[in-house]
């Protein structure tokens, strides 16, 4: 890869991960992860930043479960205002869990999430239960509208439990124009 400090900082290292022993950083997340980590970025004299971080061809294992997938995140920051925005594209498999995310984030959100399903015991050491369904997050980070069906079954985490729960959200008609109260329907 390439790293430059002048005239403007920029980088484009092309790294291969493998295997990275995750337990050395977080003991509850033991495993050996492999993949390719192409990244690039540049900062201009006025402070603007453009960066891209990817994790391609992920493989190996995490917490004793097979890992596969990819993560791609692009970030842009305006040099004058400091405002930033990004785009994410995630497709991860851990054991029997499958998580997908796609969309934009920053000052405003427009994200699609899919849990097909997400088994909490495969990801978190003190959790269990299953999350299924699709969600769309739209609006502002501090007040987002949620739409789409979402189900949670037998959730346990750090000594707390929740009965089966169905969340169906409908965004306010103006959620994409300005912050409003999202409307939620909860059903046991």
């Amino acid at each position: 890869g390439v790293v430059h400090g002048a005239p403007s900082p920029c980088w484009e290292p092309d790294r291969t991960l493998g295997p990275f022993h995750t337990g050395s950083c977080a003991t509850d997340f033991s495993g050996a992860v492999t993949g390719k980590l192409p990244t690039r970025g540049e900062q201009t004299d006025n402070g603007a930043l453009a960066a891209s971080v990817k994790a391609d061809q992920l493989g190996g294992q995490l917490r004793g479960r097979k890992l596969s997938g990819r993560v791609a995140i692009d970030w842009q920051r305006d040099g004058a205002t400091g405002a930033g925005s990004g785009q994410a594209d995630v497709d991860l498999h851990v054991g029997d869990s499958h998580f997908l995310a796609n969309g934009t984030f920053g000052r405003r959100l427009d994200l699609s999430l899919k849990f097909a399903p997400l088994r909490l015991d495969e990801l978190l050491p003190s959790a269990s239960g299953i999350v299924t369904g699709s969600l769309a997050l739209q609006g502002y980070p501090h007040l987002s509208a949620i739409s789409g069906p979402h189900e949670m079954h037998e959730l346990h985490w750090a000594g707390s439990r929740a009965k089966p729960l169905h969340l169906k959200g409908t965004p306010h008609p103006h959620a994409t124009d300005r912050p409003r109260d999202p409307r939620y329907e909860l059903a046991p």
Side-chain angles (χ1 to χ4, degrees), residues 78-149:
D78 184 276
T81 66
S85 64
Q87 182 158 350
D89 184 18
V90 177
D91 184 352
L92 284 177
H93 295 263
V94 178
D96 292 329
S97 294
H98 188 194
F99 172 71
L100 295 123
N102 187 289
T104 59
F105 59 94
R107 184 176 166 267
R108 297 186 47 75
L109 297 175
D110 189 5
L111 291 170
S112 295
L113 308 174
K114 184 174 181 180
F115 308 95
L118 184 67
R119 299 178 57 90
L120 296 181
D121 62 335
E122 294 184 325
L123 302 174
L124 301 169
S126 62
S128 64
I130 299 173
V131 179
T132 60
S134 299
L135 290 178
L137 300 174
Q138 296 175 318
Y140 297 87
H142 63 281
L143 186 59
S144 300
I146 299 174
S147 61

Side-chain angles (χ1 to χ4, degrees), residues 52-72:
S52 174
V53 177
K54 292 183 175 33
D56 291 327
Q57 301 172 17
L58 287 174
Q61 64 169 325
L62 185 63
R63 299 191 69 243
R65 281 113 176 142
K66 182 179 176 183
L67 170 71
S68 65
R70 62 180 163 68
V71 175

Side-chain angles (χ1 to χ4, degrees), residues 157-174:
W157 188 1
S160 297
R161 353 174 64 136
K163 291 185 177 184
L165 183 67
H166 176 78
L167 169 66
K168 180 180 177 184
T170 305
H172 190 279
H174 303 293

Side-chain angles (χ1 to χ4, degrees), residues 8-11 40-53 74-80 82-86:
S8 296
C10 66
W11 62 93
R40 62 180 156 68
E42 181 177 8
Q43 184 170 359
T44 63
D45 290 338
N46 74 353
L49 175 71
S52 174
V53 177
D74 294 311
W75 180 256
Q76 307 261 334
R77 183 185 71 209
D78 184 276
S85 64

